[in-house]
Amino acid sequence: MSSATDQLNTPHVHEVRSRILDWYAENARQLPWREPETTAWGVLVSEVMLQQTQVARVWEPWLAWMQRWPGPAELAAAEPADVLIMWGRLGYPRRALRLHETAKAVVEHHDGVLPADPVKLLALPGIGEYTAAAVSSFAFEIPEVVIDTNVRRVHARIFTGVGAAAPSLTAAERRLAAALMPDTTTSQGIAQANTWNVATMELGALICTARAPKCEQCPVLDQCAWVAASKPEPETVAKTQSWNGSDRQVRGAIMGVLRAQGAIDVARLQSTVEATGRLGRHVPEESQWERAMSGLVHDGLAVLDEDVLALP
């Protein structure tokens, strides 16, 4: 992608951007965290929940979470065990604890109000580059360049002709994403830039998907370099760990029991977890049980007191 920015054709960029923005205006999903009354905190909660999790799985948990803890102050006052229970089966429960830590930091350092400043957002615990940019753009209308997996794939296909982005975000991708942003020197340009961020993400989520893209429904089909090149296969295919039989599966099954019971004797843990059926046909070895429990304790998701494993 190193030369993609230098080779950008301005009329082509304008045409692509205009079509995608028009497509988004007609096809944007009506998601609860996109409603006008959603607070900046609500946007942040949605972004944390949506990390590596499908929208359909986040909808109801987000609504329930916001009803129980509508702002940082309410979440900061909650017990970690309640936070983990409320997180339910969203997966990657460390996200729940990081969000809890973020709420405490907002209360302590920002009087309970999420700062409308990308630098201050990035300084909060658990807030990375993407989340800080997304909240800035979607909640505060600050036209930061928002780059997620969907955006990277859309940019790669349309403007560089490759089927997938690099395994990790590159400097060339950052330059390309910045170059594709609308001019932000006017209020109209700022509004368009923030819409462009979410519109590109939406196109990647609904049409320009990683597998089985719906190219015939794409508003820029005739402008896509990847299609013009007959959709060459990506040179690098990201390797993903199988869920079945993984430590993550065992950790998730243990967390399910802890959310339901709060605490359990280690001697009964294996039989109790297996009885839930969440491990399927997988039968962990003793070493995997030990790794899973130790990992949960190390990550602050559980505590081990003598022979009892419990929520923190």
Side-chain angles (χ1 to χ4, degrees):
M1 295 186 185
S2 58
S3 62
T5 304
D6 297 334
Q7 297 176 359
L8 284 179
N9 178 284
T10 300
H12 175 231
V13 171
H14 287 173
E15 179 68 17
V16 168
R17 199 160 55 208
S18 177
R19 290 195 199 179
I20 292 177
L21 289 170
D22 288 345
W23 171 87
Y24 179 75
E26 294 292 330
N27 297 278
R29 289 171 291 183
Q30 299 300 309
L31 304 176
W33 45 86
R34 289 180 180 169
E35 294 299 322
E37 65 272 16
T38 301
T39 63
W41 179 254
V43 173
L44 172 60
V45 172
S46 74
E47 288 296 336
V48 174
M49 287 186 170
L50 286 165
Q51 292 168 10
Q52 303 183 63
T53 306
Q54 296 176 340
V55 167
R57 293 183 57 202
V58 170
W59 190 305
E60 292 300 330
W62 182 87
L63 291 172
W65 186 284
M66 293 305 299
Q67 183 175 9
R68 182 168 183 178
W69 298 309
E74 291 84 358
L75 180 59
E79 293 295 329
D82 290 335
V83 173
L84 289 169
I85 291 170
M86 195 70 176
W87 193 256
R89 300 186 66 175
L90 281 175
Y92 300 98
R94 278 176 290 182
R95 293 180 295 168
L97 295 184
R98 288 200 298 266
L99 191 56
H100 192 213
E101 293 170 2
T102 300
K104 290 181 177 180
V106 171
V107 170
E108 181 177 355
H109 301 296
H110 301 286
D111 298 322
V113 179
L114 199 65
D117 182 324
V119 175
K120 292 180 179 178
L121 286 171
L122 191 58
L124 292 171
I127 304 298
E129 178 184 352
Y130 163 77
T131 303
V135 173
S136 296
S137 179
F138 305 150
F140 296 119
E141 300 181 351
I142 301 171
E144 291 288 286
V145 181
V146 180
I147 310 174
D148 77 340
T149 302
N150 288 317
V151 170
R152 295 174 64 211
R153 184 171 57 255
V154 168
H155 289 176
R157 287 176 175 172
I158 295 175
F159 295 102
T160 72
V162 298
S168 58
L169 184 62
T170 66
E173 287 179 297
R174 294 177 191 273
R175 291 194 297 269
L176 177 58
L180 295 173
M181 287 282 282
D183 179 15
T184 57
T185 59
T186 67
S187 57
Q188 181 179 2
I190 290 174
Q192 189 181 64
N194 289 316
T195 305
W196 168 250
N197 280 331
V198 68
T200 314
M201 292 172 62
E202 194 81 333
L203 186 71
L206 300 181
I207 303 297
C208 194
T209 54
R211 299 179 180 179
K214 305 177 182 67
C215 294
E216 68 283 356
Q217 299 179 28
C218 180
V220 291
L221 174 62
D222 62 330
Q223 302 285 320
C224 180
W226 183 56
V227 171
S230 300
K231 301 181 182 180
E233 290 294 325
E235 294 181 6
T236 303
V237 178
K239 295 181 180 180
T240 57
Q241 180 187 22
S242 172
W243 167 260
N244 293 324
S246 67
D247 286 1
R248 280 185 54 221
Q249 184 189 27
V250 178
R251 283 168 56 116
I254 294 173
M255 284 300 298
V257 169
L258 291 180
R259 284 194 301 270
Q261 300 187 18
I264 188 170
D265 291 337
V266 172
R268 295 192 297 108
L269 179 64
Q270 182 173 345
S271 59
T272 303
V273 170
E274 290 176 343
T276 67
R278 293 189 63 180
L279 293 178
R281 297 181 179 179
H282 177 54
V283 180
E285 295 182 355
E286 190 65 31
S287 60
Q288 190 172 36
W289 285 109
E290 290 293 338
R291 282 199 310 274
M293 285 191 292
S294 297
L296 291 173
V297 172
H298 178 269
D299 293 338
L301 298 171
V303 293
L304 185 61
D305 185 5
E306 295 184 354
D307 293 324
V308 176
L309 190 70
L311 290 175

